[in-house]
Amino acid sequence: MRRTVRTALAVGILATSALPVRAADVVIGVGDWPSAQATAHLIKAIVETRLGGTAELRSGATGELWEAAGAGEIDILPEVWLPNDRTQVATHVDGSHAVTLLSRGVPARQGLCTTKQAAEAFDIRSVDDLRAKQTADLLDTDSDGTGEIWIGAEGWNSTRIEKIRAKSYGYDKTMTLIEADEPVAMAGIDVAASLGEPIVFYCYEPHHMFALHDLVMLEEPAHDPTTWTIRSPDEDPDWLEASTASTAWAISFIHMAHRTGLEKDAPKIAALLANMDLQPDAIEDMTYALIVERTPPEDFARAWISANADRVDGWIED
Amino acid sequence: MMTRLIAALGILALALGLAGTASAQSSSRIYDPSSKTWISFDPEKVERDATARGRVTPERFRRTLVPFRTSEPPGTIIIDTDRKYLFYVLPDFQAIRYGVGVGREGFGWSGEVEVGRKAEWPTWTPPAEMIERDPDSAKYAGGMPGGPDNPLGARALYLYKDGRDSLYRVHGTNEPWSIGHSVSSGCIRMNNEDVIDLYSRTEPGTKVIVLKQGAALYDPTS
């Protein structure tokens, strides 16, 4: 197809550059959390069934995907979370301009959750409770004198920020902050819910766990930007000491991003990304279908496109 | 923990005024991999204490069908090593919950593994360290045949990580009273009838999630 010919020509002209030769028109980066997988598969299916193109999925941790996008190896980042990815946006969007961040954002929430049952049975209501010895004892599953809280997977920007929040609120003294892959953490929540045992963990929405379990977010002071100073390890080796975040997360937004130049190389695909206006409940439904109902992602994406044909039509420009 | 457990069982036995009926054996020592020392072990007393409790698994650790909302597919095994439960995921948000005993030396990690192979009445081979310290166990250096005295019990599921034997097992035990406790030896132990039940449901390749809330992600090299 035309795009392939153009790519071949470009590679021939830029023979000394590091541009990879691709089997597909676009490469989509897939983060290691459920909604990123859902949106990536949906974009791939629309590109292939409605735009006559080809798309390849490439999985990786957040940092790896951003590096690859900055190097031009990945064309689409389906879910850029802000403020979480602020540092990478500063480098690859505002700095090198290698990546273009689309302005449309899907609202999202982040914080610490417990089950409604645990909140009521054990009176765990707010982040302030996490500093209390009584709560630490309740959440102490390994009898080491501190409670345990899952704060996210290793490598997530949110995990680093949750460490800062724990330090700022002071519950880093009463709790052990656990980093683990999300499926392992989710299984831990399933077990706690089944046994009626208390549990507190990092949570973000949209996410299928809110449909699977009756969850409540712990109360905390509303976000105040003057209380948030977030440094990354790249900016400051003593980032944890130099950072503070003693109020709730701001309302977060999920943006799409693509390689700068995609709008010229593949204008229809770029237009699709600019027009897609997925809502939080749609994303949550998608992750539930993929993760809980285990619908194969290709089947799910095709079915979703059929069921939402009018919406998809509105995203495609002739 | 072992000492406290035995002490607690002893108090219970006295309180109930029951006499032990176990076959007499002399007091001996067992190897505690946690402290890497040998500790006193009086099988007669343990038998007596277990008898006082009816030689059964505590009620809350008996096999039970429970509601279990999860995104893990049916057939997945989830082991909570802190709370001493093993869940076998069934369709329709249900699971079979079994009580387990956990070796104090085992599972200082959490993460995903899989059943690499399984065996009926498995052979048990004592670790080299145990053979070094206990000449009596040397006779089993080539493997102790499966049977009622074999510490692996009636069945064993061998847990593999990335295609390699992790050296951890889910296995049976002839000591049902030990379920629900951290005991001095061996991986994840289940009642023989429970491990036979689990074995019959499980095929190699089954996903196993091991939870230890206080531990980071599984890293076999650490």
Side-chain angles (χ1 to χ4, degrees):
Chain A
M1 59 186 301
R2 278 187 312 178
R3 160 94 171 113
T4 309
V5 172
R6 195 158 46 218
T7 303
L9 281 173
V11 170
I13 292 164
L14 301 171
T16 56
S17 81
L19 276 180
V21 180
R22 296 191 183 120
D25 293 332
V26 286
V27 177
I28 304 172
V30 189
D32 54 352
W33 62 92
S35 56
Q37 290 158 23
T39 45
H41 279 95
L42 186 60
I43 293 167
K44 181 178 193 291
I46 296 174
V47 167
E48 295 187 339
T49 64
R50 301 295 300 272
L51 299 179
T54 55
E56 178 186 319
L57 300 178
R58 178 169 155 185
S59 300
T62 308
E64 295 167 5
L65 296 178
W66 269 106
E67 287 300 316
E73 296 165 13
I74 282 178
D75 299 290
I76 299 172
L77 294 173
E79 284 203 358
V80 173
W81 280 65
L82 291 178
N84 312 37
D85 295 4
R86 180 190 62 85
T87 306
Q88 287 96 341
V89 167
T91 303
H92 300 293
V93 177
D94 303 330
S96 70
H97 301 292
V99 178
T100 298
L101 186 71
L102 302 179
S103 59
R104 187 194 303 278
V106 179
R109 293 198 304 158
Q110 303 176 72
L112 294 174
C113 280
T114 185
T115 60
K116 189 177 178 199
Q117 185 270 338
E120 292 172 353
F122 302 101
D123 201 27
I124 302 173
R125 310 281 183 178
S126 77
V127 290
D128 287 339
D129 294 333
L130 302 180
R131 291 195 299 269
K133 183 173 187 312
Q134 180 187 352
T135 312
D137 290 344
L138 282 170
L139 299 175
D140 184 5
T141 56
D142 60 355
S143 306
D144 72 343
T146 62
E148 284 78 46
I149 295 181
W150 179 70
I151 57 165
E154 189 180 354
W156 290 357
N157 286 320
S158 59
T159 304
R160 177 170 47 85
I161 294 172
E162 283 299 323
K163 283 184 189 168
I164 296 168
R165 280 158 47 76
K167 182 206 71 167
S168 303
Y169 279 117
Y171 57 79
D172 61 336
K173 306 285 194 302
T174 49
M175 301 287 160
T176 302
L177 309 176
I178 306 296
E179 295 176 53
D181 282 354
E182 182 174 301
V184 175
M186 296 299 109
I189 297 159
D190 300 337
V191 167
S194 177
L195 294 172
E197 299 276 358
I199 190 164
V200 171
F201 53 94
Y202 166 72
C203 58
Y204 59 96
E205 197 174 26
H207 194 286
H208 61 271
M209 283 301 277
F210 285 85
L212 194 60
H213 295 295
D214 200 354
L215 303 180
V216 291
M217 276 192 169
L218 297 191
E219 297 162 8
E220 53 183 314
H223 179 71
D224 175 355
T226 64
T227 66
W228 274 57
T229 304
I230 305 294
R231 308 290 291 169
S232 74
D234 291 342
E235 296 167 325
D236 188 343
D238 294 324
W239 59 273
L240 185 57
E241 283 306 309
S243 301
T244 185
S246 56
T247 56
W249 284 83
I251 291 290
S252 309
F253 288 94
I254 312 169
H255 295 259
M256 290 193 190
H258 62 67
R259 176 176 55 78
T260 303
L262 187 74
E263 58 275 37
K264 293 195 180 73
D265 299 339
K268 289 189 176 179
I269 296 175
L272 166 71
L273 301 178
N275 293 333
M276 281 182 79
D277 61 342
L278 289 171
Q279 295 302 307
D281 55 349
I283 295 176
E284 186 167 308
D285 289 348
M286 286 181 191
T287 65
Y288 193 88
L290 254 58
I291 307 296
V292 182
E293 298 175 337
R294 287 174 291 284
T295 309
E298 298 80 11
D299 296 352
F300 168 79
R302 281 173 168 72
W304 196 93
I305 292 166
S306 297
N308 296 274
D310 291 346
R311 291 186 71 188
V312 176
D313 286 345
W315 299 343
I316 293 172
E317 295 180 359
D318 294 327
Chain B
M1 174 61 88
M2 186 70 174
T3 310
R4 273 190 311 196
L5 165 66
I6 292 171
L9 291 175
I11 291 166
L12 183 63
L14 285 172
L16 296 175
L18 296 172
T21 56
S23 59
Q25 294 177 43
S26 61
S27 179
S28 62
R29 294 185 307 159
I30 59 170
Y31 182 62
D32 175 12
S34 175
S35 60
K36 299 199 184 312
T37 58
W38 291 84
I39 59 175
S40 259
F41 180 70
D42 181 352
E44 194 173 330
K45 177 170 170 45
V46 172
E47 291 274 347
R48 187 169 64 241
D49 296 342
T51 300
R53 280 180 26 192
R55 304 181 62 83
V56 294
T57 300
E59 188 160 347
R60 70 191 176 100
F61 291 111
R62 290 180 201 162
R63 186 172 43 184
T64 315
L65 186 67
V66 294
F68 195 79
R69 294 185 65 82
T70 184
S71 58
E72 292 301 331
T76 303
I77 292 170
I78 300 171
I79 304 169
D80 186 329
T81 61
D82 291 320
R83 298 188 180 96
K84 315 290 189 293
Y85 288 114
L86 183 150
F87 295 86
Y88 178 83
V89 178
L90 296 172
D92 302 323
F93 296 131
Q94 291 191 306
I96 302 171
R97 190 183 75 198
Y98 308 82
V100 297
V102 181
R104 277 189 292 176
E105 84 282 19
F107 295 98
W109 45 269
S110 61
E112 281 186 32
V113 288
E114 66 174 26
V115 175
R117 66 184 180 92
K118 59 180 198 171
E120 297 186 15
W121 294 106
T123 300
W124 174 70
T125 307
E129 207 170 18
M130 181 182 280
I131 294 171
E132 195 178 303
R133 289 167 183 263
D134 179 6
D136 284 351
S137 65
K139 61 186 176 220
Y140 299 124
M144 178 185 186
D149 296 329
N150 184 308
L152 292 183
R155 301 287 186 273
L157 307 175
Y158 296 77
L159 304 182
Y160 279 51
K161 173 72 176 173
D162 298 330
R164 289 187 307 153
D165 189 345
S166 72
L167 302 181
Y168 289 101
R169 287 97 176 81
V170 175
H171 62 80
T173 176
N174 303 312
E175 298 167 330
W177 54 268
S178 70
I179 299 305
H181 296 283
S182 292
V183 288
S184 61
S185 65
C187 306
I188 298 292
R189 50 167 61 191
M190 305 173 71
N191 285 332
N192 274 340
E193 56 268 35
D194 282 353
V195 80
I196 289 169
D197 180 79
L198 181 67
Y199 179 98
S200 71
R201 301 172 186 276
T202 305
E203 294 303 326
T206 293
K207 179 179 179 183
V208 180
I209 298 177
V210 179
L211 301 173
K212 179 172 174 51
Q213 305 291 339
L217 191 64
Y218 178 84
D219 180 1
T221 62
S222 65

